[in-house]
Amino acid sequence: MTLLRKPRQLLLALHKPFSFLSPSTDARANKRLAIDLFTPENIAPSAKKFMPKFPLRGLLCAGRLDADSTGLMLWTNDKVLQERIIGPESNVEKEYLVRVTGHERWSEEQRESAIQL
């Protein structure tokens, strides 16, 4: 009888740099995917002992960022955890800092409508 070992639950934090694509974005020619940043060279030495063997398989991104944005991305191999973070009933607060250029020429009404989400 062969026993299957459940993989260790992972939750990884990654700062996505500008121009990398989130996994939910269609990969296009000459585009880099954020998941490709998970390489042995990019993992802190103190964290390597907790990591499975590379290449990492089955990582799910808990959210997405546009290619022209930067910021924190959470990755996990646990679908339940991913849903708890991004699912419609999650109630996990997300905060965004946005820098807009060209707003100096906007009217007060345009500025007010731009911040309404």
Side-chain angles (χ1 to χ4, degrees):
M1 178 164 104
T2 304
L3 295 176
L4 296 177
R5 183 184 248 180
K6 183 178 178 183
R8 175 182 287 170
Q9 183 185 45
L10 291 175
L11 179 61
L12 305 173
L14 170 74
H15 181 267
K16 186 193 87 63
F18 183 83
S19 84
F20 280 80
L21 297 175
S22 294
S24 58
T25 309
D26 291 330
R28 292 175 228 121
N30 300 323
K31 294 292 182 174
R32 299 174 293 176
L33 298 175
I35 196 165
D36 294 337
L37 294 168
F38 287 112
T39 64
E41 302 82 39
N42 290 340
I43 304 297
S46 59
K48 285 184 181 178
K49 63 183 173 188
F50 301 107
M51 298 293 294
K53 293 181 181 174
F54 286 89
L56 298 178
R57 303 265 186 235
L59 281 182
L60 307 166
C61 188
R64 65 178 298 275
L65 292 172
D66 292 333
D68 59 353
S69 63
T70 64
L72 175 67
M73 296 181 81
L74 297 176
W75 298 75
T76 183
N77 60 349
D78 185 333
K79 180 72 174 163
V80 174
L81 178 59
Q82 180 198 35
E83 283 298 315
R84 287 180 59 197
I85 295 170
I86 64 171
E89 293 87 29
S90 69
N91 295 321
V92 173
E93 185 177 324
K94 294 152 186 89
E95 188 172 312
Y96 301 92
L97 174 64
V98 179
R99 184 179 307 152
V100 179
T101 58
H103 62 83
E104 300 84 8
R105 298 181 299 273
W106 293 0
S107 68
E108 185 66 31
E109 184 178 310
Q110 288 173 311
R111 277 187 229 139
E112 287 296 319
S113 67
I115 60 171
Q116 301 293 321
L117 296 179

